[in-house]
Structures are given as C-alpha cells and as structure tokens.
Amino acid sequence: MNNCVVGTGYVGLVTGVCLAEKNNVVTCVDVIEEKVDMIKKGKPPIYEKNLQPLLEKNVKNKRLLATTNLGKAMEKTDIIFICVGTPSKEDGAIDLRHVENAVKNIGKNLANLEETDYPVVVVKSTVVPGTTEKIVIPTLEKHSGKKAGKDFGVCMNPEFLREGDAVKDFLNPDRIVIGEHDEKGGDKLDRVYSWSKAPRIRCTPTTAEMIKYASNALLATKISFINEIGNQCKTLGIDVYDVARGVGLDHRISPHFLQAGPGFGGSCFPKDVKALAKQAEELGLQPLLLKAVLEVNRRQPLKAVDLVEKMLGQLEDRTVTILGLTFKPDTDDTRESPAIPIIKKLLERGANVILHDPKAGEKVKKLFYGDKKVEIFEDPQKAVDLGDATILVTAWREYLTLDYSKTRLVDTRHVIDREKCLEYEGICW
Ligand code: NAD
C-alpha cells in the first residue's frame, strides 16, 4: 500500500518506518523542514532505540520518503495517518490546534484528488472522545466538498507504543483498535496491519478514543496508587518493592506499572489524564479519582528534594547532581519529566545543580539557559563526584555501574544497592 503519515514525531516517524519495513511505501510529512531533511538523509530527528538502522534501510530502498508538501504526499495514497501532537492547554483541556490544521489541509487535498481509490483518513493522535465524529469528519467534508463513507473513509486508530520501546511495541501490539466511521475504511485499515495477529477491536471512533484514554488513565492510576502506598511504606520502614511483588503476583492485578518512583511523566500520561478529567468536568461530572491521581503525581518528585535536603541539612549553596533528565531511559524525550520540577525546586531552595543525561543534557540546559547555578556535565562519574549529593531520576543503564562509595544518593528508581553508597535514601523504601 501507499501510505502517508502527517506529523513525524515519536509516533509518526515510528509508524512510518515500521510500515515501510512491512513493505508499504510511506511518505512522511512534517511542517518542520529540518526534520524532513534529516529523515531524507536517514537520520532520525528524535532518539528512539532501534529506529536509526530501520530508517536508514528504508530510506535507501525508497520505501520511506519525506516531504513538507502534503499535496504531493497524498497524490497516490491509500491511507493518511494523522500523528500530530495534541498538547494540553493551560486549563488541562486538549489543544486540538495541530489536529485541526492537519485535517483542514488534508481536506483541501482530498478535494484535489481525481482518481482515488477510497483513501482513508486515520486519526492516530490521541484525541478526546467525540473528536473524530464532531470535528475531524465535518472539517474534512467542509474542505474537500466530499462525503465521508462515500468518497473517503475515516477511522480512529489509537497508538499504544511506549517511548524507549516504540519500534518493538509498534511491531508487536497487544491489540489493534479500529474505530471505524465506515466499514470499508475499517477493512482497508485492517489490511495495513495484516502482518499482525493481534486481536482486533472494531468499534466506533468515539469508543476507540475512549479506549486510549481509559488505558492511559488506568496505567497512571496504578503508578500514583503504588507511589501513595510507597510513601506510607517509607514511613513504616517497609520496602514497597517487596510489597509490589506480593501484590503484582495476583493475576487479577499484574506486576506491571507497580514500580514506585518519582511519578509518571512523558508526553502522554500527564496530558491525557488532564484532558480526560477536563472533559468529564465539561460534561458536568466530577472526576475525583483522576484529580487525585494528578495531585499525587504533582507531589511525588518533590519528595526527592525533601530527602536530599534532610541528608545535607540545608540546600543553600550546596551542589546536587541530577542523574537522568528524560522521563524514562532509551528516549531523549524530557516532556513532563520528573527531573524538571526537581531541578526547579532545588534552585528555589538555593542549591547549585549539576545535570547529566546521555541523550537530553543540552535540551534541558536550554530550559535553564543563563542560570549560573545550573551546569551540565558530559561525564556522569565526574558529575556524581562533584556533587554534595546525587538524585538518580532516570534509570539509564550506565548509571548502574558508577562508583557511589563517596556519594549521598537519593535513588528514585530502586536500582542502586544501598550498601554501595556512602549514604542512601530510596524515595519510597
Ligand atoms: P510530537 O510532538 O513528537 O510530534 C508531532 C509532529 O507533528 C511534530 O514533528 C510536528 O512538527 C508535526 N506537525 C504538527 N502540525 C503538523 C501539520 N499540520 N502537518 C504536519 N506535521 C505537523 O508528538 P508525538 O509524541 O509523536 O505524539 C503524537 C500524538 O500521538 C499525540 O496525540 C500523542 O498523544 C499520541 N501518542 C504519543 C505517544 C508517545 O509515546 N509519544 C504514544 C501514543 C500516542
């Protein structure tokens, strides 16, 4: 098939590369020229494990193309995947600006398609329930002058990949959700995934949208839940990881997402839980549980600062090293990383901060540009040795083998043996 992917971020680029790997010809479209130029050269504009060799291979064999010209990309396309960002507004509501722009342009180009074989527009971006039916379809029809279900198909196909394991997850999904406006469109989308034996959920677009939000909200809830239990464990002198193991072996619960730590971050959980809660409020409902999940998560990273302050007596003019700035290892994504509120709080309390991250150091430095109290180090051991104390925020593999024998360490990931440190505090253990 000929596919077109609009938006070449973490989801779009991985979708494009993986579909090319499965013998489709894919054209990636982005509004940012630098990203398109990099993709054309086989260089990913983001860091994602195992992405680079697949991208290079598929660019070389001409199955993966890139352009800023949507009209050209859509000329012979079977499926158009919308993978643009859906950030939060100030009040937590979803910001659909990028989706609306992309859909408007897709609509205009649908109007120009003469010989078409029922192209299908697929929303892969995470959008609140009702968006495809109430916004995407009317916008496409308005700008194309054509009719959804008659001249073109529309589906909502949420993406569940995890950054850091995005390629593996895309190629081995647990399930494929096809929220179809029309059966013909759903059938065509199903064929794109013919290589996967994963169960299909064929449903309405609005149900598909809710499946995505409910999944992320439940995972975020598990994390805030175990962090709350962990905080109580810490006070009682219990290791919450022993508790989580005992809890997680219950097959009704599962051990996943029960790793207590500094709270969830990343580009999805925080904004998706906020958007779902906001929609609930707009519907006149009270999202009590979702709000509690967010509040537990807001407080959690700050516990690391309290622990380091307790260790050092006070923070004024002391130097604290932060190991890891991304919200998880194997990605360069720092969006909503717990490292950010930790750094801000340390600065607020007068500390100097040394930062290290294998992939995202420069990105975070820009956030604190000009602040003389923030320094970035290339060598993690040196960063640890020069700090009065260290907070390990991201469990990058290279941090596991550093020498902490002269270090006061706050471990937020339960990955360092306390015996190997001069002084050790776990965030919830
Ligand atoms: P991102 O910010 O990394 O990438 C979005 C890309 O879209 C950017 O490159 C941007 O330049 C481009 N773009 C914006 N407007 C455009 C337009 N009109 N035309 C063409 N390109 C345009 O976002 P992401 O992390 O890949 O997320 C995309 C969507 O997928 C979001 O809705 C997100 O919630 C969802 N999602 C993300 C993940 C994840 O782990 N990142 C997982 C599942 C779902």
Side-chain angles (χ1 to χ4, degrees):
M1 278 194 191
N2 278 304
N3 298 317
C4 161
V5 173
V6 182
T8 62
Y10 291 85
V11 168
L13 189 57
V14 170
T15 300
V17 168
C18 291
L19 290 180
E21 185 63 16
K22 294 293 179 188
N23 289 322
N24 297 281
V25 174
V26 185
T27 306
C28 289
V29 183
D30 208 287
V31 284
I32 301 177
E33 213 152 336
E34 294 82 38
K35 284 194 180 189
V36 168
D37 288 343
M38 284 185 78
I39 296 168
K40 279 183 183 165
K41 289 181 192 142
K43 291 186 185 148
I46 49 159
Y47 174 72
E48 182 58 48
K49 203 169 58 188
N50 302 330
L51 184 62
Q52 202 276 329
L54 287 188
L55 171 63
E56 198 178 324
K57 177 180 141 194
N58 284 291
V59 167
K60 267 194 190 141
N61 65 23
K62 300 201 168 30
R63 281 206 297 261
L64 194 97
L65 314 165
T67 179
T68 50
N69 187 334
L70 178 66
K72 199 154 182 283
M74 278 178 59
E75 266 167 16
K76 285 194 186 121
T77 198
D78 292 296
I79 305 225
I80 303 133
F81 288 96
I82 300 173
C83 300
V84 299
T86 47
S88 295
K89 289 186 190 161
E90 282 277 300
D91 64 356
I94 190 167
D95 180 349
L96 287 172
R97 209 168 0 139
H98 302 305
V99 172
E100 284 167 348
N101 269 339
V103 171
K104 202 158 96 183
N105 291 338
I106 292 168
K108 286 180 185 163
N109 285 292
L110 276 178
N112 298 336
L113 291 188
E114 283 167 21
E115 284 173 49
T116 58
D117 179 22
Y118 204 70
V120 182
V121 179
V122 176
V123 180
K124 222 178 207 329
S125 298
T126 304
V127 292
V128 289
T131 305
T132 302
E133 294 283 5
K134 290 191 189 134
I135 297 176
V136 174
I137 293 175
T139 309
L140 287 172
E141 290 182 336
K142 179 175 161 198
H143 290 278
S144 66
K146 295 184 176 176
K147 187 94 191 102
K150 179 174 160 278
D151 305 310
F152 61 92
V154 179
C155 291
M156 200 283 151
N157 171 223
E159 181 50 55
F160 298 96
L161 62 77
R162 296 162 301 168
E163 282 180 27
D165 289 296
V167 172
K168 189 176 104 203
D169 285 354
F170 189 92
L171 295 172
N172 303 281
D174 291 332
R175 74 301 210 187
I176 293 169
V177 178
I178 297 178
E180 59 201 42
H181 165 265
D182 48 286
E183 198 178 344
K184 194 170 165 190
D187 287 345
K188 196 162 180 183
L189 177 60
D190 200 347
R191 285 202 294 282
V192 176
Y193 293 109
S194 56
W195 41 271
S196 171
K197 293 199 167 51
R200 295 336 196 228
I201 316 267
R202 303 275 296 249
C203 55
T204 67
T206 308
T207 305
E209 287 158 347
M210 188 49 120
I211 289 173
K212 174 64 188 173
Y213 275 95
S215 302
N216 274 2
L218 180 57
L219 294 172
T221 303
K222 277 187 97 173
I223 296 172
S224 276
F225 171 81
I226 201 65
N227 283 341
E228 189 161 296
I229 296 289
N231 293 336
Q232 196 162 340
C233 284
K234 172 100 184 154
T235 315
L236 293 167
I238 302 168
D239 187 333
V240 68
Y241 273 67
D242 294 336
V243 175
R245 186 169 144 72
V247 172
L249 284 171
D250 185 326
H251 73 277
R252 295 168 302 177
I253 297 173
S254 108
H256 302 294
F257 285 78
L258 287 180
Q259 287 77 32
F264 55 80
S267 67
C268 292
F269 286 2
K271 82 166 170 69
D272 291 349
V273 180
K274 279 183 210 159
L276 188 61
K278 188 70 189 168
Q279 190 188 52
E281 283 177 342
E282 285 166 4
L283 292 168
L285 304 168
Q286 284 189 301
L288 302 177
L289 184 56
L290 298 180
K291 288 205 147 178
V293 167
L294 290 167
E295 184 55 18
V296 170
N297 200 58
R298 188 188 66 77
R299 295 180 192 198
Q300 194 64 14
L302 306 180
K303 296 214 174 292
V305 179
D306 293 339
L307 286 169
V308 90
E309 187 168 44
K310 210 168 116 199
M311 258 175 176
L312 295 176
Q314 48 92 27
L315 287 171
E316 188 71 37
D317 289 330
R318 306 303 298 273
T319 299
V320 179
T321 298
I322 306 293
L323 286 182
L325 305 169
T326 54
F327 78 102
K328 62 184 327 199
D330 297 322
T331 175
D332 61 349
D333 199 343
T334 56
R335 288 178 283 187
E336 302 270 350
S337 167
I340 311 295
I342 290 176
I343 298 167
K344 285 187 177 158
K345 187 57 81 180
L346 286 167
L347 292 173
E348 219 177 279
R349 295 194 189 167
N352 302 307
V353 184
I354 294 176
L355 308 178
H356 180 271
D357 189 277
K359 296 286 174 201
E362 286 305 319
K363 229 184 200 181
V364 171
K365 191 162 184 214
K366 275 185 206 146
L367 279 181
F368 298 97
Y369 183 73
D371 194 325
K372 291 199 174 63
K373 283 176 145 322
V374 181
E375 249 191 295
I376 186 114
F377 277 43
E378 296 278 316
D379 177 348
Q381 187 65 59
K382 217 167 159 188
V384 167
D385 292 344
L386 284 178
D388 295 311
T390 292
I391 305 176
L392 187 149
V393 181
T394 319
W396 285 99
R397 195 162 316 193
E398 61 200 276
Y399 297 156
L400 309 187
T401 50
L402 297 179
D403 176 8
Y404 295 104
S405 59
K406 298 185 195 79
T407 309
R408 293 185 174 85
L409 181 73
V410 174
D411 179 4
T412 70
R413 299 289 180 180
H414 208 268
V415 288
I416 305 298
D417 188 347
R418 66 170 66 229
E419 311 303 328
K420 293 191 173 154
C421 306
L422 177 66
E423 220 181 297
Y424 177 97
E425 286 286 351
I427 193 166
C428 294
W429 49 91

